[in-house]
Amino acid sequence: MSSYRPYQHIERRKSRQIHVGKVAVGGDAPISVQTMTNTLTSDAQATIDQIRLAELAGVDIVRVSCPDEASTAALAEIVHEVNVPIVADIHFHYKRAIEAAKAGAACLRINPGNIGSAERVREVVNAAKDYGCSIRIGVNAGSLEKHLLEKYGEPNPEALVESALEHAKILEDHDFHEFKISVKASDVFMAVAAYQQLADCCDHPLHIGITEAGSKRAGTVKSSIGLGNLLWAGVGDTMRVSLSAAPEEEVLVGWDILKSLGLRHRGVKIISCPSCARQGFNVVETVQTLEDRLQHIKTPLTLSIIGCVVNGPGEALMTDIGVTGGGNGRHMVYAAGRQDHTMPAGDMIEHIVELVEKKVSDIEASKEEGTTAKQMDPAAH
């Protein structure tokens, strides 16, 4: 049901493509969703367990902090036990970057400027080349170089961009081009302005985020405003929502932002009303229950849950499955925008879950048939 209309089209910025392990970043690749673990990386099992929860939520790339040798030592086991590429977060200690590359990190998150001497930077770049790592230049408003703070007087978008381009030049001077850039700030205005300026003056892939966004609720709002602004303008190749919450929560919010803009689709997208006195059933409770019950679905599907007939039929026109509250304990079910049947209130949750699972099964079977037909058609090769 998700056909695009002209006003829904987003023209993405054209960027060069790099790879973070098996995940393409930039170019025409889907915008990838990232998170970062908050366990001690030296505790390999705790870190692996946390990454697996993020994988279930749909994460594409996971970053782990490597502040000491014990962390990079654990990295080899972590990389081996998970299914997504791992970015090693490195600050100041160039040897940690080299150790992480050897341990199997898919990407090194560094600031070439704070790694140290030109010789140390060269060693890190050579390790990245030798072990097939990409690099993320991570510029942050909270840790700008002293000469830029003196030049601009305070952190601002121009300082962030200048820092990023200085770091990029260091890598390019070493004939290393497999890198992406982030220019994060906790201030939404500063971050968005910096990314917009950087997007205009280079073609490097950009990792976008509002750093230190805050708690689950406040940080979700703040990130949605900043990231939504950038993504709507076509800026951003990979993203992280930074929340003081579990990593899988960051992933879920990231997906919700992308789904809201029609940039990626995964799982069930529920369109629901805020409910009012007209509702024929408890909308809030129903939606919360369905979100939990349908978490296992990965196939893209839209479901509208509307409490009454004011907006219910209209929303059902634009969703795969629709439910509208009715009278006498029965509610109307829509399929592909058309009235299909009524259902009793008592069986509502189970009935909707069955409908969604059946629809998903049909979609997947149709995909398999299409793939088989294509494989058997000589003209397709």
Side-chain angles (χ1 to χ4, degrees), residues 79-366:
V79 167
H80 184 264
E81 292 297 322
V82 300
N83 298 306
V84 291
I86 299 299
V87 178
D89 194 74
I90 310 292
H91 289 282
F92 309 114
H93 303 292
Y94 81 105
K95 286 186 177 178
R96 300 294 85 80
I98 295 169
E99 291 161 5
K102 289 179 179 177
C107 180
L108 306 174
R109 189 274 195 185
I110 62 169
N111 281 358
N114 73 21
I115 286 294
S117 66
E119 173 59 25
R120 289 181 174 183
V121 172
R122 188 180 66 80
E123 286 190 47
V124 171
V125 171
N126 285 342
K129 288 179 178 178
D130 291 344
Y131 294 96
C133 291
S134 55
I135 286 176
R136 167 152 78 96
I137 294 170
V139 177
N140 195 303
S143 54
L144 277 167
E145 292 81 2
K146 186 178 178 182
H147 74 279
L148 291 173
L149 288 175
E150 288 174 355
K151 176 178 177 178
Y152 290 100
E154 64 177 5
N156 63 19
E158 291 73 25
L160 287 168
V161 171
E162 187 169 330
S163 175
L165 294 177
E166 284 180 1
H167 293 319
K169 188 174 186 308
I170 292 172
L171 296 185
E172 289 174 324
D173 287 348
H174 285 84
D175 195 28
F176 190 88
H177 306 279
E178 192 76 0
F179 65 88
K180 52 185 172 163
I181 303 177
S182 64
V183 281
K184 294 185 178 182
S186 58
D187 178 82
V188 175
F189 297 98
M190 189 190 306
V192 170
Y195 276 114
Q196 288 171 336
Q197 290 178 30
L198 187 59
D200 288 341
C201 67
C202 74
D203 69 346
H204 302 304
L206 300 182
H207 170 106
I208 61 173
I210 307 300
T211 195
E212 294 141 7
S215 63
K216 181 177 172 181
R217 186 183 70 184
T220 292
V221 173
K222 195 171 178 181
S223 295
S224 298
I225 292 168
L227 297 181
N229 189 309
L230 290 168
L231 292 166
W232 202 331
V235 175
D237 302 290
T238 184
M239 60 182 277
R240 179 197 175 188
V241 176
S242 298
L243 302 177
S244 300
E248 64 267 25
E249 294 294 339
E250 296 187 347
V251 178
L252 294 172
V253 174
W255 272 100
D256 283 340
I257 292 171
L258 292 175
K259 287 195 287 188
S260 294
L261 290 167
L263 289 165
R264 283 189 77 181
H265 304 279
R266 180 185 192 273
V268 181
K269 178 181 177 181
I270 299 179
I271 290 90
S272 60
C273 68
S275 81
C276 70
R278 291 190 306 267
Q279 65 180 3
F281 57 90
N282 188 323
V283 173
V284 173
E285 186 180 286
T286 299
V287 170
Q288 288 175 343
T289 304
L290 286 171
E291 280 188 338
D292 291 338
R293 291 288 302 274
L294 299 174
Q295 270 188 358
H296 64 290
I297 303 291
K298 296 178 182 177
T299 303
L301 186 136
T302 51
L303 169 67
S304 57
I305 305 292
I306 309 296
C308 77
V309 296
V310 172
N311 292 323
E315 292 294 350
L317 281 173
M318 296 183 282
T319 52
D320 296 302
I321 298 170
V323 175
T324 296
N328 301 319
R330 295 194 73 83
H331 311 306
M332 179 59 70
V333 176
Y334 296 77
R338 298 176 180 274
Q339 289 188 1
D340 196 75
H341 61 278
T342 62
M343 65 176 173
D347 299 333
M348 187 174 183
I349 297 294
E350 296 302 326
H351 189 73
I352 295 171
V353 171
E354 285 177 17
L355 288 173
V356 168
E357 290 179 338
K358 173 68 167 59
K359 180 68 176 175
V360 166
S361 178
D362 291 345
I363 291 170
E364 292 303 319
S366 179

